[in-house]
Amino acid sequence: TGLPDGEYVSANKTVYIRNGKSTLADGTIAGGCTPLLGCVRKAIDFGIPAEDAFKCASWNPAKVMKLDSEIGSIDIGKKADFLILDSAYNLVSVFKDGKCVSG
């Protein structure tokens, strides 16, 4: 994710990224290369409520990793890492430890 179109090596295999698709030389899908926010937007487009889609991208993984007391939601005592999005879920700003680092 995030790499420009090109040829890369992953797990000792050559992977080709072109137009947002990651494939092997024979055209087999080699994995996903959509950024997480793009996946959340797509889930919302499919009809999943926005609150659920964002929870799946934040709180659920934190819970699985047993880090939900530190990250995954906004609450007192947790790390203040979060995004500001516009009404169409486009990225406006990124905050890390409560400080704006982008936007």
Side-chain angles (χ1 to χ4, degrees), residues 1-16:
T1 298
L3 295 172
D5 284 0
E7 185 177 309
Y8 302 91
V9 176
S10 177
N12 295 322
K13 294 184 179 182
T14 301
V15 176
Y16 302 89

Side-chain angles (χ1 to χ4, degrees), residues 11-80:
N12 295 322
K13 294 184 179 182
T14 301
V15 176
Y16 302 89
I17 296 178
R18 300 229 189 328
N19 301 317
K21 294 182 181 178
S22 174
T23 62
L24 301 177
D26 66 1
T28 302
I29 295 172
C33 55
T34 302
L36 184 57
L37 183 54
C39 294
V40 169
R41 275 194 224 105
K42 186 57 75 178
I44 294 167
D45 289 346
F46 288 149
I48 293 172
E51 182 178 338
D52 293 339
F54 282 104
K55 187 175 178 182
C56 287
S58 57
W59 187 81
N60 290 1
K63 180 122 175 113
V64 168
M65 295 184 300
K66 298 184 179 9
L67 295 173
D68 53 306
S69 64
E70 300 171 39
I71 61 172
S73 61
I74 299 172
D75 204 351
I76 295 170
K78 290 188 174 186
K79 293 184 179 183

